[in-house]
Amino acid sequence: MRPVTAAANASRAAPDFTLRVRVYYEDTDAGGIVYHANWLRWFERARTDWLRALGVEHSRMLAETGVGFVVRDMSIDYRRPARLDEELLVDVRLVDARRASWTLAQHARRPGETEMLVGATLRIAAVHLASGRPTAIPRDLAERALARGARPNLLPNDE
Amino acid sequence: MRPVTAAANASRAAPDFTLRVRVYYEDTDAGGIVYHANWLRWFERARTDWLRALGVEHSRMLAETGVGFVVRDMSIDYRRPARLDEELLVDVRLVDARRASWTLAQHARRPGETEMLVGATLRIAAVHLASGRPTAIPRDLAERALARGARPNLLPNDE
Amino acid sequence: MRPVTAAANASRAAPDFTLRVRVYYEDTDAGGIVYHANWLRWFERARTDWLRALGVEHSRMLAETGVGFVVRDMSIDYRRPARLDEELLVDVRLVDARRASWTLAQHARRPGETEMLVGATLRIAAVHLASGRPTAIPRDLAERALARGARPNLLPNDE
Amino acid sequence: MRPVTAAANASRAAPDFTLRVRVYYEDTDAGGIVYHANWLRWFERARTDWLRALGVEHSRMLAETGVGFVVRDMSIDYRRPARLDEELLVDVRLVDARRASWTLAQHARRPGETEMLVGATLRIAAVHLASGRPTAIPRDLAERALARGARPNLLPNDE
C-alpha cells in the first residue's frame, strides 16, 4: 500500500470539518482551566460529527459490522488554556489516508482568531472491537472524505 | 412478592461496604470543589466493588447473560463540598432487596468523621441491556448480600 | 420569606429553556447506554445556557463575586436509556424561586416525542465558593427568569 | 540551563512510582473498551500520587502560591485496549528534569505482565494558573524526585 500524504503545508490548510464547543463546569478543574484530558473529548466529538457528515455513524457501524474506530497514537500540544464559558472551534483535517488507518490533524481555537490553543496529530484505525483485529476502512468513506477536501488524487490504494 | 425492608434506623446502620477514594483534578471544577456529577461516579465504584466482594463482576455478567445493573432512580443530598486532594470514604448499604431491584443507601464522609458530605438513596435493577427488559437479580447474590449484612431473615421471596 | 411555587401542573408546562445534545462515545459505557452520571452533565449544560440566555455567566459571577451556583439536592428518575449517536432535547423549567435557592425541573426527551427518558427535580443555591456560605440569588436574575416564563406574579420576596 | 536526561534505556528502567487502578463503567464506552481520553485521567492520578509521595500536594501548592502543574505536550501510544473490571498498573518515571519542566514516561500494564497497553511521554510545567506565566519547579522537589530514583547526579541546574 502506498501512503497518501496531504500537502506539506497541511497544518495551514482549511479544515475538513469544524465543530463549535462551549466550556462548561464539567470541562474545567480546580486550577480554573480546562482539564487536559477533556480536550480529547472535544476532538473526538469533532471527528464523530465529521464522519457523520460523511454518512457514517459509529452506532450503525458497530451494530452492523462490530467495527469501530480507535485511536492508535496521538501527539498533543497544549499551547494555551481555555476557561469556563469560552466558546471554541475544533477543526478536523484529514492528512493521510491509508487502507486501515487515517492520520488527522486537529486544532482548537477561539472564534475569529487563528492562534491555536491546543493541537493534535493522531492516527485512527478501524478495528473489530470484540477481537481488536484491524480491518480496512470502508473505501467509499475514504473517497467521500477525500473528495470533501477537494483532494481527489489522494485516493488510497486498495492494497 | 413481599418487599424486604431493612430496619427503620437503617441510615445509621453499619455499611455493608466502604470504598476509599481520593479527589483528583479530574473530579473538581473551576469552582474549586468536586463537580456534582462526579460523586455519582464514586458511588458507582463503591457499588461495583461491593458486588465484586460478593462474587459478581459486571463484565462477566454482561458477557455471560447480557444483563447489567442500571440505576432506576436516585435522590442525592449535597450537604458539604469536597476539595482537591481530600480522601473520602464512600459507604454502601443494602436497604431493601426485591426480586428485580434493590434499594441502597450511600454516603460519602471524611475518614474519622461521621458527618455526611453527600448522601444518596437509589434503586438499582437488573436489565437485559440490549432490550431494556427487567430480569430477576440472581437469588444467590441477594442471599450473599443479605448474609453479609447479618440480616438473614430479610431474604427476598422468589415471587 | 414566602416561597414562590409554580402551578401544580408544572411538570407539563412549557420549558423555560431547551438544549439540544448529542450522545458521543464519551457519554456511553460498556453496557452500550449513556452512563447514568452523564445525564447530570447535560442537565447542567442546559441550566448554564439558560442562565446565560438570562444574562448571567458563571465565569463572570465567579470572578466578580466569588459566588457560584451549587446543587443542593436532586431526585432523578431514569425511565429509558439513550444510546450512541442519538440526539436529545434537555429542558429546564423554573418551578420555585426563593431568595437563596431555586427549584428546577429538567427532562430529557427525543426530538418530536413527548415521552421523558430521564427527568430530575433539583434545587440550586448561590454560595460563596471559598467559604460555602449561602447568599441571595441576584434579584434581577430572578426577575428575568420569572418574566421569561411569563409568570410575573411569582416574583420572590426580598426577605 | 543544561538539560538533565536519564539513561537511554529509560523506557525499561524501574518506575519511580506505580499506581494501581481498576476499570469501572465510567471509564468504558459503548465500544466495550476504555475510552481513549480516560487513560489520561489515570496517568494524571499516578503523577499526582507520585508528587504526593514526594511531599507536594496540588491543593496546598495552589492555595499557597497559585502555581499548578500543567501538561505542555504529550505523545500517547495506544497499543492494546483494556476492558471493564480489569486491574491495571500505571507507572511514572522521571526522564528529564529542567528548571521549569519535567519530562515523564508513563505506562499502563496488567499486573504480572510486562507488555505495555498504553504508554505516554509527556512534559509537565509549573505555571501561575491565573496568568499562565511559567515558573521554576521547586528545586527541593526536583532533588527529592531525582534522589528517589537513585539518580543523584542528574540534579537540574539552577539556571
Side-chain angles (χ1 to χ4, degrees), chain A residues 24 26 41 45 49 59 85, chain C residues 26 41 45 49 59 85:
Chain A
Y24 293 99
E26 63 176 292
R41 293 166 44 209
R45 288 187 210 170
D49 283 358
S59 52
D85 289 327
Chain C
E26 63 176 291
R41 292 165 43 207
R45 287 185 210 170
D49 283 357
S59 51
D85 288 329

Side-chain angles (χ1 to χ4, degrees), chain A residues 81-123:
Chain A
R83 295 174 193 276
L84 189 59
D85 289 327
E86 283 198 71
E87 228 179 6
L88 304 173
L89 300 178
V90 180
D91 297 329
V92 187
R93 202 166 38 75
L94 180 60
V95 172
D96 187 12
R98 291 170 183 248
R99 201 180 76 90
S101 74
W102 290 1
T103 300
L104 306 173
Q106 297 202 248
H107 301 89
R109 54 195 167 88
R110 297 201 176 91
E113 299 185 8
T114 56
E115 187 187 28
M116 177 186 101
L117 302 179
V118 174
T121 301
L122 66 149
R123 206 159 44 96

